[in-house]
Amino acid sequence: MSASTDTRARPVVADAVGRRRGAYAALVILQHIGVPLVMAVLIAAGPRADGTFWWTMVWIAVAYTAFVLRVGAWYWFGDLARAGVGAIVAAGAVMGSHAAIVRGLPVGGWQLALGPLIAAPLVAMLALAWRARPMPPAAFACTFPLRGGTFHVAQGGAGKVVNYHYPHGAQRYALDIVRVNASGRRARGAYPNQLDAYFAVGATVVSPCDGVVIAAHDGMPDHDPPARDRDNPPGNYVAIRSADVAFLLAHLMRGSIAVRVGEQVRAGQPVARVGNSGNGTEPHLHVHAERGARGALSTGTGVPLEFDDRCLVRNDRVRA
């Protein structure tokens, strides 16, 4: 994400995901709800003749469900859906085991090795997800940059499995954060295209540190999801330097930036509001910190962040 200095509002062009919003939403629903439920039905029936297929399906179902529960986009569906999917798959495994015992069919032997072998990639990705939390000794201590509700980390952590920013230098430890309601959902609907359907819109963005404003840009339009502006990746933004670390707060609401370049700010001081400007498919706050930027933002080395004694990863929650 490179910070643009062009003050003109450019047309926002919907990309391929935008043009197929319905198909994308259907795919997310299938991954999170459809596939686990089908697996639950298959394993609930229990083995018919021998345990080979059933035992393999149990391994795949448990590994896939555990992975999705850990790294899935549950801010789409809420806490009840997340708990329900896990409970249904667990119930399916119990029912299938009972059926096998009643029928006196084997569920062991060589198939004990086949199931783990097939499920190994999912187990490996799950292990990587659990290891993706940055350690506080290496992190820069700062204040959580949002106020006014409960916030959910949509992208974040020290690994590509939980954070798509991770391969990208300065943004390696970036976080994308949305606001959720009491049920854990970030919008009214699965993937609405009305800007005001997202609870993050208008949330107060505060400075994560004491420092000085080194860059700020306003005037870019807030577009309806899932349109995005690839020409101006950060949209409206504020950059703040604290010691040798520069913070970037991006995708801010047009007209909401309340600080100017050169201004001294304190940690927790309001600086803007969340919008949907720049290269984002739905409203959220992007925040990252970097050290050693070479004349422009997003050219330095990414710095892990510790927000009020917590290093956050995908699906963590903060009540601010």
Side-chain angles (χ1 to χ4, degrees), residues 202-259:
T204 300
V205 180
V206 302
S207 176
C209 59
D210 296 342
V212 60
V213 178
I214 58 172
H217 182 76
D218 204 341
M220 302 305 301
D222 295 291
H223 46 269
D224 289 331
R228 61 201 306 175
D229 185 353
R230 292 185 180 275
D231 292 331
N232 298 281
N236 304 313
Y237 64 87
V238 171
I240 300 168
R241 183 176 298 281
S242 177
D244 64 338
V245 173
F247 285 82
L248 180 67
L249 305 164
H251 309 311
L252 306 176
M253 180 184 291
R254 179 166 59 179
S256 73
I257 294 178
V259 293

Coordinates of all heavy atoms in Angstrom, one line a residue, residues 202-259:
G202 N -17.9 5.1 10.6 CA -18.0 6.2 11.6 C -17.4 5.9 12.9 O -17.4 6.8 13.7
A203 N -16.8 4.7 13.1 CA -16.1 4.5 14.4 C -14.9 5.4 14.5 O -14.3 5.8 13.6 CB -15.6 3.0 14.4
T204 N -14.7 5.8 15.8 CA -13.7 6.8 16.1 C -12.3 6.2 16.0 O -12.0 5.2 16.7 CB -13.9 7.4 17.5 OG1 -15.1 8.1 17.5 CG2 -12.8 8.4 17.8
V205 N -11.4 6.8 15.2 CA -10.0 6.3 15.1 C -9.2 7.2 16.0 O -9.3 8.5 15.9 CB -9.5 6.4 13.6 CG1 -8.1 5.9 13.5 CG2 -10.4 5.5 12.7
V206 N -8.3 6.6 16.8 CA -7.5 7.4 17.7 C -6.0 7.1 17.4 O -5.7 6.1 16.9 CB -7.8 7.1 19.2 CG1 -9.3 7.4 19.5 CG2 -7.5 5.7 19.6
S207 N -5.2 8.0 17.8 CA -3.7 7.8 17.7 C -3.3 6.7 18.5 O -3.6 6.6 19.7 CB -3.0 9.1 18.1 OG -1.6 8.8 18.0
P208 N -2.5 5.7 18.0 CA -2.0 4.6 18.8 C -0.8 5.0 19.6 O -0.3 4.1 20.4 CB -1.7 3.6 17.7 CG -1.3 4.4 16.5 CD -2.2 5.6 16.6
C209 N -0.3 6.2 19.6 CA 0.9 6.5 20.2 C 1.0 8.1 20.4 O 0.3 8.8 19.8 CB 2.1 6.1 19.4 SG 2.1 6.8 17.8
D210 N 1.9 8.5 21.3 CA 2.3 9.9 21.3 C 3.3 10.1 20.1 O 4.2 9.3 19.9 CB 3.1 10.2 22.6 CG 2.2 10.1 23.8 OD1 1.0 10.1 23.7 OD2 2.8 9.9 24.9
G211 N 3.1 11.2 19.4 CA 4.0 11.4 18.3 C 3.6 12.6 17.5 O 2.8 13.5 18.0
V212 N 4.1 12.7 16.3 CA 3.8 13.8 15.4 C 3.2 13.3 14.1 O 3.6 12.3 13.6 CB 5.1 14.7 15.2 CG1 6.2 13.8 14.5 CG2 4.8 15.9 14.3
V213 N 2.2 14.1 13.6 CA 1.6 13.7 12.3 C 2.6 14.0 11.2 O 3.0 15.2 11.0 CB 0.3 14.5 12.1 CG1 -0.3 14.1 10.7 CG2 -0.7 14.1 13.2
I214 N 3.0 13.0 10.4 CA 4.0 13.3 9.3 C 3.3 13.3 8.0 O 4.0 13.7 7.0 CB 5.1 12.2 9.4 CG1 4.6 10.8 9.3 CG2 5.9 12.4 10.7 CD1 5.6 9.7 9.1
A215 N 2.1 12.8 7.8 CA 1.4 12.8 6.6 C -0.1 12.7 6.8 O -0.5 12.0 7.8 CB 1.9 11.7 5.6
A216 N -0.9 13.3 6.0 CA -2.4 13.1 6.1 C -3.0 13.4 4.7 O -2.5 14.3 4.0 CB -2.9 14.1 7.2
H217 N -4.0 12.7 4.4 CA -4.6 12.9 3.1 C -6.1 12.8 3.3 O -6.6 11.8 3.9 CB -4.1 11.9 2.1 CG -4.7 12.1 0.7 ND1 -4.3 13.1 -0.1 CD2 -5.6 11.4 0.1 CE1 -5.0 13.0 -1.3 NE2 -5.8 12.0 -1.2
D218 N -6.9 13.7 2.7 CA -8.4 13.7 2.8 C -8.9 13.9 1.4 O -8.2 14.3 0.5 CB -8.9 14.7 3.8 CG -10.2 14.4 4.4 OD1 -10.9 13.5 3.8 OD2 -10.6 14.9 5.4
G219 N -10.2 13.8 1.3 CA -10.8 14.1 0.0 C -11.2 12.9 -0.9 O -12.0 13.1 -1.9
M220 N -10.7 11.7 -0.6 CA -11.1 10.6 -1.4 C -12.5 10.1 -1.0 O -12.8 10.1 0.1 CB -10.1 9.4 -1.2 CG -8.6 9.8 -1.5 SD -8.4 10.5 -3.2 CE -9.0 9.1 -4.1
P221 N -13.3 9.6 -2.0 CA -14.6 9.2 -1.7 C -14.7 7.9 -0.9 O -13.8 7.0 -1.1 CB -15.2 9.1 -3.1 CG -14.1 8.7 -4.0 CD -12.9 9.5 -3.4
D222 N -15.8 7.8 -0.2 CA -16.1 6.5 0.5 C -17.0 5.8 -0.5 O -18.1 6.2 -0.8 CB -16.8 6.7 1.8 CG -15.9 7.4 2.8 OD1 -14.9 6.8 3.3 OD2 -16.1 8.6 3.1
H223 N -16.6 4.6 -0.9 CA -17.4 3.9 -2.0 C -18.2 2.7 -1.4 O -17.8 2.2 -0.3 CB -16.5 3.4 -3.1 CG -15.2 2.7 -2.6 ND1 -14.1 3.4 -2.4 CD2 -15.0 1.4 -2.3 CE1 -13.1 2.6 -2.0 NE2 -13.7 1.4 -1.9
D224 N -19.3 2.4 -2.0 CA -20.1 1.3 -1.6 C -19.4 0.0 -1.9 O -18.9 -0.2 -3.0 CB -21.5 1.3 -2.3 CG -22.4 2.4 -1.8 OD1 -22.2 2.8 -0.7 OD2 -23.2 2.9 -2.6
P225 N -19.4 -1.0 -0.9 CA -18.8 -2.3 -1.2 C -19.5 -3.0 -2.3 O -20.7 -2.8 -2.5 CB -19.0 -3.0 0.2 CG -19.3 -1.9 1.2 CD -20.0 -0.8 0.4
P226 N -18.8 -3.8 -3.0 CA -17.4 -4.2 -2.9 C -16.4 -3.4 -3.8 O -15.4 -3.9 -4.2 CB -17.3 -5.6 -3.2 CG -18.3 -5.8 -4.3 CD -19.4 -4.8 -4.0
A227 N -16.9 -2.2 -4.3 CA -16.0 -1.4 -5.2 C -14.7 -1.0 -4.4 O -14.7 -0.9 -3.2 CB -16.8 -0.2 -5.6
R228 N -13.7 -0.8 -5.2 CA -12.4 -0.4 -4.6 C -11.6 0.5 -5.5 O -11.9 0.5 -6.8 CB -11.6 -1.7 -4.3 CG -11.3 -2.5 -5.5 CD -10.9 -3.9 -5.2 NE -9.9 -4.1 -4.2 CZ -9.5 -5.3 -3.7 NH1 -10.1 -6.4 -4.1 NH2 -8.6 -5.3 -2.8
D229 N -10.7 1.3 -5.0 CA -9.9 2.2 -5.7 C -8.5 1.8 -5.7 O -7.7 2.1 -4.8 CB -10.1 3.6 -5.1 CG -9.4 4.7 -5.9 OD1 -8.7 4.3 -6.9 OD2 -9.5 5.9 -5.6
R230 N -8.1 1.0 -6.8 CA -6.7 0.5 -6.8 C -5.7 1.6 -7.0 O -4.5 1.4 -6.7 CB -6.6 -0.6 -7.9 CG -7.5 -1.8 -7.6 CD -7.2 -2.8 -8.7 NE -8.0 -4.1 -8.5 CZ -7.6 -5.1 -7.7 NH1 -6.4 -5.0 -7.1 NH2 -8.4 -6.1 -7.5
D231 N -6.1 2.7 -7.6 CA -5.1 3.8 -7.9 C -4.7 4.5 -6.6 O -3.7 5.2 -6.6 CB -5.7 4.8 -8.8 CG -5.9 4.2 -10.2 OD1 -5.1 3.3 -10.6 OD2 -6.8 4.6 -11.0
N232 N -5.5 4.5 -5.5 CA -5.2 5.2 -4.3 C -5.4 4.2 -3.1 O -6.4 4.2 -2.4 CB -6.2 6.3 -4.1 CG -6.0 7.4 -5.2 OD1 -5.1 8.2 -5.2 ND2 -6.9 7.3 -6.2
P233 N -4.4 3.2 -3.0 CA -4.6 2.1 -2.0 C -5.0 2.5 -0.6 O -6.0 1.9 -0.1 CB -3.2 1.4 -2.0 CG -2.7 1.7 -3.4 CD -3.2 3.1 -3.7
P234 N -4.4 3.5 0.1 CA -4.8 3.8 1.4 C -6.0 4.7 1.5 O -6.5 4.8 2.6 CB -3.6 4.5 2.0 CG -2.9 5.2 0.8 CD -3.2 4.3 -0.3
G235 N -6.5 5.3 0.4 CA -7.6 6.2 0.5 C -7.2 7.4 1.3 O -6.1 7.9 1.2
N236 N -8.1 7.8 2.2 CA -7.8 8.9 3.2 C -7.0 8.2 4.3 O -7.4 7.2 4.8 CB -9.1 9.5 3.7 CG -9.9 10.0 2.5 OD1 -9.4 10.7 1.6 ND2 -11.2 9.7 2.6
Y237 N -6.0 8.9 4.8 CA -5.1 8.3 5.8 C -4.5 9.4 6.7 O -4.4 10.6 6.3 CB -4.0 7.5 5.1 CG -3.0 8.3 4.3 CD1 -1.9 8.9 4.8 CD2 -3.3 8.4 2.9 CE1 -1.0 9.6 4.1 CE2 -2.4 9.2 2.1 CZ -1.3 9.7 2.7 OH -0.4 10.5 1.9
V238 N -3.9 8.9 7.8 CA -3.1 9.7 8.7 C -1.9 8.8 9.0 O -2.0 7.6 9.3 CB -3.8 10.0 10.0 CG1 -2.9 10.7 11.0 CG2 -5.0 11.0 9.7
A239 N -0.7 9.5 9.0 CA 0.5 8.8 9.4 C 1.1 9.5 10.5 O 1.2 10.8 10.5 CB 1.5 8.7 8.2
I240 N 1.6 8.8 11.5 CA 2.1 9.4 12.8 C 3.4 8.7 13.1 O 3.6 7.5 13.1 CB 1.1 9.1 14.0 CG1 -0.2 9.8 13.6 CG2 1.7 9.7 15.3 CD1 -1.4 9.4 14.6
R241 N 4.4 9.5 13.4 CA 5.7 9.0 13.8 C 5.9 9.1 15.3 O 5.7 10.1 15.9 CB 6.9 9.8 13.1 CG 8.3 9.2 13.4 CD 9.3 9.9 12.6 NE 9.2 9.8 11.2 CZ 9.5 8.7 10.5 NH1 10.0 7.6 11.2 NH2 9.3 8.6 9.2
S242 N 6.4 8.0 15.9 CA 6.7 7.9 17.3 C 8.1 7.3 17.4 O 8.3 6.2 17.1 CB 5.7 7.1 18.1 OG 6.1 7.0 19.4
A243 N 9.1 8.2 17.9 CA 10.5 7.7 17.9 C 10.9 7.4 16.4 O 10.7 8.2 15.5 CB 10.7 6.6 18.9
D244 N 11.3 6.1 16.2 CA 11.8 5.7 14.9 C 10.7 4.9 14.2 O 11.0 4.2 13.2 CB 13.1 5.0 14.9 CG 13.0 3.7 15.7 OD1 12.1 3.5 16.5 OD2 13.9 2.8 15.5
V245 N 9.5 4.9 14.7 CA 8.4 4.0 14.1 C 7.3 4.9 13.5 O 6.9 5.9 14.2 CB 7.8 3.1 15.2 CG1 6.6 2.3 14.6 CG2 8.9 2.1 15.7
A246 N 6.9 4.6 12.3 CA 5.8 5.3 11.7 C 4.6 4.5 11.6 O 4.7 3.3 11.1 CB 6.3 5.8 10.3
F247 N 3.4 5.0 12.0 CA 2.2 4.3 11.9 C 1.4 4.8 10.7 O 1.3 6.1 10.5 CB 1.3 4.6 13.2 CG 1.8 3.8 14.4 CD1 2.9 4.3 15.2 CD2 1.2 2.6 14.8 CE1 3.3 3.6 16.3 CE2 1.6 1.9 15.9 CZ 2.7 2.4 16.6
L248 N 0.7 3.9 10.1 CA -0.3 4.3 9.0 C -1.7 3.9 9.4 O -1.9 2.7 9.7 CB 0.1 3.8 7.7 CG -0.8 4.1 6.5 CD1 -0.8 5.6 6.2 CD2 -0.5 3.3 5.2
L249 N -2.6 4.8 9.4 CA -4.0 4.5 9.6 C -4.8 4.8 8.3 O -4.8 6.0 7.9 CB -4.6 5.4 10.8 CG -3.8 5.3 12.1 CD1 -4.2 6.4 13.0 CD2 -4.1 4.0 12.8
A250 N -5.4 3.8 7.7 CA -5.9 4.0 6.3 C -7.3 3.6 6.2 O -7.9 3.0 7.1 CB -5.0 3.2 5.4
H251 N -7.9 4.0 5.0 CA -9.3 3.8 4.6 C -10.2 4.6 5.5 O -11.3 4.2 5.8 CB -9.7 2.3 4.7 CG -8.7 1.4 4.0 ND1 -8.3 1.7 2.7 CD2 -8.1 0.3 4.4 CE1 -7.5 0.7 2.3 NE2 -7.3 -0.1 3.3
L252 N -9.8 5.9 5.8 CA -10.6 6.7 6.7 C -11.7 7.4 5.9 O -11.7 7.6 4.7 CB -9.7 7.8 7.3 CG -8.4 7.2 8.0 CD1 -7.5 8.3 8.5 CD2 -8.9 6.3 9.1
M253 N -12.7 7.9 6.6 CA -13.9 8.6 6.1 C -13.5 10.0 5.5 O -12.8 10.7 6.2 CB -15.0 8.7 7.1 CG -16.3 9.4 6.6 SD -17.5 9.6 8.0 CE -17.9 7.8 8.3
R254 N -14.0 10.3 4.4 CA -13.8 11.6 3.8 C -14.3 12.7 4.7 O -15.4 12.6 5.2 CB -14.4 11.7 2.4 CG -14.2 13.1 1.7 CD -14.5 13.1 0.3 NE -15.9 12.7 0.0 CZ -16.4 12.6 -1.2 NH1 -15.7 12.9 -2.3 NH2 -17.7 12.3 -1.4
G255 N -13.5 13.7 4.9 CA -14.0 14.8 5.7 C -13.8 14.6 7.2 O -14.2 15.5 8.0
S256 N -13.3 13.5 7.7 CA -13.3 13.2 9.1 C -11.9 13.4 9.7 O -11.8 13.4 11.0 CB -13.7 11.7 9.3 OG -12.7 10.8 9.0
I257 N -10.9 13.7 8.9 CA -9.5 13.8 9.5 C -9.4 15.1 10.3 O -9.7 16.2 9.8 CB -8.5 13.7 8.4 CG1 -8.5 12.4 7.8 CG2 -7.1 14.1 8.9 CD1 -7.5 12.2 6.6
A258 N -9.1 14.9 11.6 CA -9.1 16.0 12.5 C -7.7 16.5 13.0 O -7.6 17.3 13.9 CB -9.9 15.6 13.8
V259 N -6.7 16.1 12.3 CA -5.3 16.5 12.6 C -4.6 17.0 11.3 O -5.1 16.8 10.2 CB -4.5 15.4 13.2 CG1 -5.0 15.0 14.6 CG2 -4.5 14.2 12.3

